[in-house]
Amino acid sequence: MNKTNDIVEQRRKKLEDLKRKNINLFPNDFIVTSTVKDVVNIIENRADSITESASGGFVLAGRMMAINRFGKTAFIRFRDRSGQLQAYIRKDRVGDEAFYLFKQLDIGDFIGIKGGMFKTKTGEWTLLANEIKLVCKAIRPLPEKFHGLKDPEKRYRQRYLDLIMNSNVREIFVKRSKIIQEIRTFLLKRDFLEVETPMMQPIPGGAEATPFKTYHNALGMNLFLRIAPELYLKRLVIGGFEKVFELNRSFRNEGVSTRHNPEFTMLEFYQAYATYNDLMDLTEEMLRSAAINVTGSAVITYQGNSIDLGRKWRRMPLLTAMEEIGGIDPGLLDDRQKLLDFASSKGIPLTQKICQRPLADRLGKIIAKLFDILVEPKLIQPTYITGYPVEISPLSRKSDNDPTLTDRFELFIAGHEIANGFSELNDPDDQKERFLQQTADREAGDEEAHYMDEDYIKALEYGMPPAAGEGIGIDRLAMIFTDSASIREVILFPHMKREKTDTTII
RNA sequence: GGGCCGUUAACUCAGCUGGUAGAGUAUCUGCCUUUUAAGCAGAGAGUCGCGCGUUCGAGCCGCGCACGGCCCA
């Protein structure tokens, strides 16, 4: 016997009483004509002398969030999608029957109200109810109004309660939605075409990551949830869509953390006849205007750091950053053994996932790992790091002036990797060699190395115009724009382990 | 994978050196026609995450497990 449920039992009893009186607990015939925001706008704009306009015929509905009862009257607060409003219920106005029903209602119930606006003694605009009706009965009680819902586990598992109780959480997700809308509008205005490519792919490509695997019964084949849309988007560039983007989910089968969720949202876009330098300019403009339109300013605060997206963003070659920010003697940067010795002398372990086989991994991987530890956290103001080694950039075009490097950049803000972009490799023979190297790495035990994708090579052989492409992590961007320390704060339903009580699905 | 912290009423939290569990809000009953976390009077509500152990006795100590948070990898 779970006592949760004392309150629930009491409510169910009430519910039965109401049913016996032929009251519909879940009607669907209440017609709403205004939102709270509409009403407040109307009343404030014609405001001045109106202290009582009870004749007004506003019809609203919402969830009751608070009730102050006074015998034959009551003040309530209710909320719809646009905001919260106080209403005043008087027995002598709504009638005995409706008032009796109202007395049976609870916080959390949905109500419909008709009435006009007046100002209370304390000057608050309040809806004076002429009619009040039950629109939906709540059986479970809401969390306490003052402290709200704080337990992070409950907030994530029961996000609907989090959204009901915590207005700042609602605001975060509204902002997230606006960020996405801003980016979409920005690209559409510049003649990019929004497309959708397969999320289930026979060969997962476009990133170094472990995929989720699934099986298609009718086709009798394994499929993988995409780790990136990249190779399909470039097929579209080959097909003549010179400017394309996709803004949707990708999936990576790795641990969860404050920065990782197994499914995450990424923007990828490709532009023919552009270079990685063009994309840096474009990204800067796009994110700057998104910041201004979403947060109201190009200067945002993230975890105590003031981040200025308004000034020109710094651009720095990777090897320079290793030296100047990471404090690594440039003489070490072309010798993997020296770098390994340096790492161990600094107590930096290179044995984990990102660099899983330190003895076998090639120079570029070791540099990348050291960069993650020594440089990335220090890149607080927006910074483009450029010139990544070829061996960790298997889809990027080699630099004309240094074939060991690529025309590639990554963008860092607040110590987070936000974007990765490059001039695309469009030489099919070079691409094939890169894939072969990746295949060799995979056979040597690197589970995240790329698969050979013969079909993509074939596509390249038809000719892809010179192009540049980029991916932007939308969740991380949302974190920064909403000052959220964890990715779970910007994903409505973050993945968690199952609760014991969950039904097991095999 | 490792470390630290957490899990007590519907919610937010107390609970000392081990002695059979407490507050506020919410709920229920009564009073109340302008409240702002309304007020007054009264009442009910707990498998102290789960299991094992130590002990005369465990919310508290030990071991294991589950879930969560943060940090590290």
Side-chain angles (χ1 to χ4, degrees):
Chain A
M1 209 178 304
N2 191 346
K3 277 309 189 183
T4 299
N5 291 319
D6 225 15
I7 294 181
V8 172
E9 277 166 27
Q10 280 169 349
R11 284 208 183 178
R12 283 192 179 279
K13 204 172 287 173
K14 244 191 236 178
L15 225 118
E16 289 307 317
D17 290 344
L18 292 172
K19 267 189 200 164
R20 249 178 264 126
K21 293 194 165 68
N22 279 327
I23 288 159
N24 189 350
L25 304 175
F26 303 99
N28 193 18
D29 59 357
F30 190 82
I31 294 165
V32 180
T33 61
S34 303
T35 65
V36 166
K37 202 175 169 187
D38 294 338
V39 170
V40 170
N41 282 344
I42 289 169
I43 213 74
E44 283 189 342
N45 287 337
R46 69 172 187 201
D48 32 65
S49 61
I50 302 173
T51 51
E52 175 144 358
S53 72
S55 55
F58 298 120
V59 187
L60 300 89
R63 189 192 287 275
M64 277 202 293
M65 299 304 295
I67 306 175
N68 281 352
R69 296 185 191 277
F70 296 87
K72 296 180 185 63
T73 67
F75 283 95
I76 65 168
R77 275 172 199 288
F78 70 101
R79 190 166 69 218
D80 66 16
R81 67 182 179 283
S82 73
Q84 190 163 266
L85 185 66
Q86 175 167 268
Y88 187 40
I89 319 295
R90 301 169 56 111
K91 189 179 183 183
D92 61 11
R93 220 173 166 99
V94 300
D96 292 358
E97 202 175 316
F99 198 79
Y100 170 81
L101 166 69
F102 167 70
K103 275 164 76 177
Q104 313 303 309
L105 300 188
D106 297 293
I107 291 171
D109 291 350
F110 284 87
I111 46 154
I113 307 190
K114 294 185 191 180
M117 296 291 280
F118 76 107
K119 251 185 188 172
T120 62
K121 278 188 203 167
T122 52
E124 179 171 349
W125 280 113
T126 298
L127 185 73
L128 178 58
N130 292 326
E131 285 180 37
I132 180 163
K133 282 187 171 156
L134 174 65
V135 171
C136 171
K137 191 80 193 78
I139 294 168
R140 291 177 184 264
L142 292 178
E144 181 224 333
K145 62 186 165 190
F146 189 57
H147 294 93
L149 181 67
K150 289 193 167 168
D151 180 352
E153 185 171 352
K154 283 206 178 75
R155 286 185 47 232
Y156 300 148
R157 287 195 197 280
Q158 295 181 272
R159 182 68 92 181
Y160 46 92
L161 287 182
D162 195 23
L163 291 167
I164 293 168
M165 300 308 300
N166 299 320
S167 60
N168 58 322
V169 173
R170 286 197 295 279
E171 283 160 19
I172 283 175
F173 289 104
V174 170
K175 265 191 192 171
R176 181 186 166 116
S177 178
K178 281 185 182 158
I179 291 167
I180 290 171
Q181 241 15 271
E182 283 294 324
I183 289 175
R184 176 170 279 125
T185 304
F186 183 96
L187 291 170
L188 291 173
K189 267 191 201 154
R190 280 159 187 76
D191 200 27
F192 280 84
L193 180 73
E194 182 168 16
V195 296
E196 293 163 277
T197 65
M199 292 204 186
M200 298 161 80
Q201 305 178 344
I203 301 172
E208 301 197 357
T210 309
F212 288 92
K213 193 175 175 181
T214 187
Y215 182 77
H216 191 294
N217 291 337
L219 294 177
M221 68 191 285
N222 286 326
L223 286 167
F224 299 88
L225 300 190
R226 72 176 179 197
I227 53 178
E230 173 155 357
L231 300 184
Y232 285 92
L233 291 171
K234 285 194 280 202
R235 284 174 171 99
L236 296 180
V237 175
I238 293 166
F241 289 144
E242 293 176 345
K243 296 173 104 177
V244 291
F245 75 98
E246 182 161 11
L247 183 39
N248 217 318
R249 225 68 61 79
S250 286
F251 309 84
R252 296 186 185 176
N253 201 343
E254 49 202 34
V256 300
S257 77
T258 49
R259 293 183 186 197
H260 299 90
N261 193 61
E263 56 182 303
F264 61 99
T265 301
M266 188 162 53
L267 164 71
E268 281 207 13
F269 59 101
Y270 291 82
Q271 179 174 352
Y273 312 111
T275 68
Y276 75 125
N277 282 310
D278 298 324
L279 295 195
M280 284 191 273
D281 293 340
L282 182 82
T283 302
E284 197 165 329
E285 194 188 340
M286 178 166 69
L287 298 190
R288 184 176 294 140
S289 75
I292 291 167
N293 292 336
V294 172
T295 72
S297 169
V299 180
I300 54 186
T301 299
Y302 184 71
Q303 307 292 296
N305 286 314
S306 174
I307 292 166
D308 188 351
L309 299 172
R311 281 187 312 212
K312 182 77 185 160
W313 299 358
R314 183 166 57 157
R315 300 182 186 188
M316 184 183 275
L318 175 67
L319 296 180
T320 309
M322 295 293 280
E323 185 185 335
E324 291 184 6
I325 298 171
I328 298 175
D329 182 341
L332 305 178
L333 287 172
D334 53 5
D335 186 317
R336 48 182 306 282
Q337 191 52 53
K338 282 185 190 164
L339 272 184
L340 287 174
D341 292 344
F342 170 82
S344 64
S345 77
K346 290 269 181 182
I348 300 168
L350 291 179
T351 51
Q352 284 300 317
K353 216 178 174 183
I354 296 170
C355 201
Q356 36 188 305
R357 301 154 305 130
L359 296 180
D361 279 327
R362 281 170 296 115
L363 182 64
K365 276 218 165 183
I366 294 165
I367 289 177
K369 176 65 176 173
L370 286 172
F371 177 89
D372 287 348
I373 295 170
L374 295 173
V375 182
E376 181 172 318
K378 294 180 182 167
L379 301 176
I380 304 301
Q381 297 306 317
T383 305
Y384 287 114
I385 299 295
T386 60
Y388 282 76
V390 175
E391 62 221 61
I392 55 169
S393 312
L395 303 166
S396 309
R397 186 178 187 281
K398 282 178 189 159
S399 299
D400 286 335
N401 49 9
D402 183 349
T404 67
L405 298 180
T406 54
D407 288 342
R408 174 182 170 193
F409 67 88
E410 288 194 353
L411 169 64
F412 297 88
I413 302 176
H416 288 52
E417 180 195 332
I418 298 298
N420 175 27
F422 39 87
S423 297
E424 300 298 337
L425 174 57
N426 62 348
D427 173 344
D429 294 338
D430 189 354
Q431 183 65 75
K432 184 156 192 176
E433 277 173 39
R434 307 270 194 104
F435 275 150
L436 286 170
Q437 185 55 252
Q438 290 286 315
T439 308
D441 284 359
R442 170 169 291 280
E443 280 162 9
D446 183 352
E447 289 178 8
E448 299 190 337
H450 283 68
Y451 290 88
M452 169 61 72
D453 191 335
E454 298 281 5
D455 183 74
Y456 177 64
I457 301 288
K458 187 209 278 178
L460 283 182
E461 286 170 351
Y462 284 93
M464 178 168 78
E470 179 176 343
I472 297 182
I474 297 298
D475 309 281
R476 290 180 185 179
L477 198 62
M479 286 170 69
I480 289 169
F481 279 25
T482 60
D483 197 12
S484 300
S486 168
I487 198 170
R488 291 180 204 103
E489 295 297 338
V490 301
I491 290 177
L492 282 166
F493 299 99
H495 285 285
M496 307 186 84
K497 286 200 181 183
R498 268 204 319 267
E499 282 181 292
K500 271 186 191 166
T501 52
D502 278 8
T503 309
T504 303
I505 296 172
I506 297 164

